[in-house]
């Protein structure tokens, strides 16, 4: 009888098969182990970058809020006859309204021209819709003739001479929109902010020369920083529309700064951004309720609203008048202004023509 055991060739075949399976199993284990290591490394890197980002944003916020000046705690408290607060909508957020004041309280090389006290050289009501897909910016002429609570009628910019509280009360009475927060920036802040950003690009509607400084501003895209940015904001003589043309300049520069901020946060060195917000903070005065967290939220809102969602308007007027001592003032179209402010308050389309501003 022949040998019933397996033949050497059969044993070899079986060993080869077992060896192949063993090798495959070993290879699969090795691959699985490497995959786990890769995933762990990936998770570690993500966690690291998240921690870095969180730490950096905390540092930025801390730098900003540690240098920013705040109004007295009661600056906006107990103001009489305020419009009602906005409530949260289905989005889970309420609309937010800022009063942005450009102060002409000049310091250092900005002192001059017989300026005393403090006036609001720029007055902007900035409204964020509840869904944060829209921002309406309404500029109010500084020479608008309005009721100033407790003082009678006068130019609206004079309301700021008594502090932010009277300015808020005046704007709320005029517009019917409750102001949630106040932000004041001084002249020097404009110079240093635009310099820190490396310049901002503005699409200038009208070229010309400012007769007070001799600076020329070409029509079309121009890059502004430092003294040129400041002069662009102040320029009104020989400018079409005078103060109304200057308000358009204010709006164009605000839009350009927002665009450049977005670009800076995305593509520039974070150290530059850190230095920039420290500069911003050193020239800002805000209400005490505008906390670090709320500042962060507002910065995020500004940077995420699409450009097409930002609209600039100027309060409508019907002409000019003369005050009791011969001062020239702007007579507002109160009916048109009330309708526009009601639309802004209710997040509805605004009937006013938008300022023809092209953002870069």
């Amino acid at each position: 009888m022949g040998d019933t055991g397996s033949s050497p060739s059969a044993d070899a075949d079986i060993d080869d098969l077992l060896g192949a399976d063993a090798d495959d199993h070993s290879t699969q284990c090795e691959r699985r182990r490497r995959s786990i290591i890769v995933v762990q490394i990936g998770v570690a890197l993500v966690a690291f970058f998240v921690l870095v980002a969180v730490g950096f944003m905390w540092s930025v916020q801390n730098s900003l809020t540690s240098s920013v000046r705040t109004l007295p705690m009661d600056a906006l408290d107990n103001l009489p006859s305020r419009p009602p607060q906005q409530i949260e909508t289905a989005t889970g957020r309420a609309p937010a309204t800022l009063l942005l004041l450009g102060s002409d309280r000049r310091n250092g090389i900005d002192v001059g021209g017989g300026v005393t006290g403090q006036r609001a050289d720029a007055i902007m009501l900035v409204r964020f819709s509840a869904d944060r897909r829209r921002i309406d910016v309404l500029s109010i002429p500084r020479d608008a003739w309005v009721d100033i609570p407790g003082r009678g009628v006068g130019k609206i910019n004079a309301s700021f001479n008594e502090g932010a509280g009277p300015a808020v009360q005046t704007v709320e009475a005029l517009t019917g929109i409750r102001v949630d927060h106040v932000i004041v920036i001084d002249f020097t802040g404009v110079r240093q902010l635009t310099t820190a950003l490396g310049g901002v690009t503005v699409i200038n509607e009208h070229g010309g020369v400012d007769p007070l400084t001799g600076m020329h501003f070409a029509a079309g895209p121009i890059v502004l920083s430092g003294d040129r940015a400041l002069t662009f904001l102040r320029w009104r003589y020989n400018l079409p529309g005078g103060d109304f043309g200057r308000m358009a300049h204010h709006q164009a520069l605000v839009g350009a700064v927002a665009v450049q901020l977005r670009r800076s946060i995305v593509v520039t060195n974070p150290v530059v951004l850190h230095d920039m917000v420290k500069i911003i903070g050193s020239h800002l005065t805000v209400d005490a309720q505008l906390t670090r967290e709320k500042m962060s939220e507002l910065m995020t809102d500004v940077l995420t609203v699409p450009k097409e969602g930002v609209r600039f308007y100027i309060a409508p007027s019907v002409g000019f008048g003369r005050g009791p001592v011969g001062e020239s003032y702007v007579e507002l179209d109160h009916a048109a202004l009330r309708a526009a402010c009601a639309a802004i308050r209710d997040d509805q389309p605004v009937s006013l023509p938008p300022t023809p501003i092209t953002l870069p």
Side-chain angles (χ1 to χ4, degrees), residues 34-324:
R34 291 176 180 175
S35 297
I36 293 173
I37 292 174
V38 169
V39 170
Q40 289 174 338
I41 292 174
V43 171
L45 287 174
V46 170
F48 171 75
F49 285 120
V50 167
L51 288 173
V52 169
V54 170
F56 172 68
M57 287 308 298
W58 180 90
S59 175
V60 167
Q61 294 170 19
N62 188 60
S63 297
L64 179 59
T65 55
S66 62
S67 58
V68 71
R69 297 183 294 269
T70 57
L71 299 169
M73 285 293 294
D74 60 349
L76 303 185
D77 294 339
N78 303 318
L79 293 178
S81 305
R82 301 194 69 185
Q85 284 187 316
Q86 294 290 301
I87 60 175
E88 291 185 358
T89 66
T91 65
R93 303 185 71 180
T97 304
L98 310 180
L99 181 60
L100 179 61
L101 300 171
S103 169
D104 69 357
R105 179 177 54 192
R106 307 180 186 188
N107 302 304
I109 62 174
D110 288 319
V111 174
V115 175
T116 59
Q118 181 174 222
R119 297 289 190 275
D121 193 64
I123 305 170
M124 294 185 186
L125 200 64
V126 183
R127 173 76 170 192
F128 294 80
S129 64
D131 62 5
R132 298 305 192 265
R133 301 293 296 170
R134 167 179 162 185
I135 297 178
D136 292 313
V137 182
L138 176 69
S139 288
I140 302 173
R142 63 177 187 166
D143 291 334
W145 199 249
V146 300
D147 287 320
I148 301 176
R151 291 192 53 187
V153 294
K155 293 183 179 182
I156 193 171
N157 68 339
S159 65
F160 188 41
N161 197 39
E162 304 298 327
V168 167
Q169 194 176 1
T170 301
V171 170
E172 288 185 341
L174 177 66
T175 64
I177 300 175
R178 187 183 181 100
V179 173
D180 298 306
H181 299 292
V182 180
I183 298 177
V184 183
I185 186 168
D186 59 42
F187 276 81
T188 306
V190 173
R191 176 190 292 113
Q192 295 196 4
L193 171 59
T194 52
T195 300
L197 283 168
V200 298
T201 300
V202 169
I203 311 301
N204 189 26
E205 288 289 317
H206 303 284
V209 177
D210 171 38
L212 297 182
T213 63
M215 287 189 184
H216 176 263
F217 299 93
I222 57 174
V223 177
L224 300 174
S225 66
D227 289 333
R228 282 184 61 79
L230 200 54
T231 300
F232 186 77
L233 288 185
R234 290 175 174 168
W235 176 28
R236 61 172 173 153
Y237 298 108
N238 296 344
L239 187 66
D243 261 352
F244 290 90
R246 182 162 72 163
M247 280 186 283
H249 281 189
H250 293 169
Q251 294 177 343
L253 191 68
V254 167
V257 167
V259 170
Q260 187 63 20
L261 275 171
R262 183 180 306 187
R263 291 173 178 168
S264 296
I265 287 177
V266 173
V267 301
T268 65
N269 190 322
V271 175
V272 176
L273 177 59
H274 188 276
D275 292 341
M276 183 188 65
V277 296
K278 290 178 67 176
I279 291 173
I280 294 173
S282 64
H283 296 282
L284 284 184
T285 303
V286 304
D287 62 280
Q289 286 73 36
L290 190 53
T291 62
R292 177 189 304 170
E293 292 74 17
K294 290 181 179 178
M295 283 187 188
S296 179
E297 287 180 8
L298 288 174
M299 179 177 286
T300 301
D301 292 339
V302 168
L303 297 176
T304 55
V305 171
K307 285 198 298 184
E308 60 271 16
V310 182
R311 293 288 184 273
F312 294 90
Y313 305 95
I314 293 176
S317 62
V318 294
F320 301 90
R322 291 284 176 182

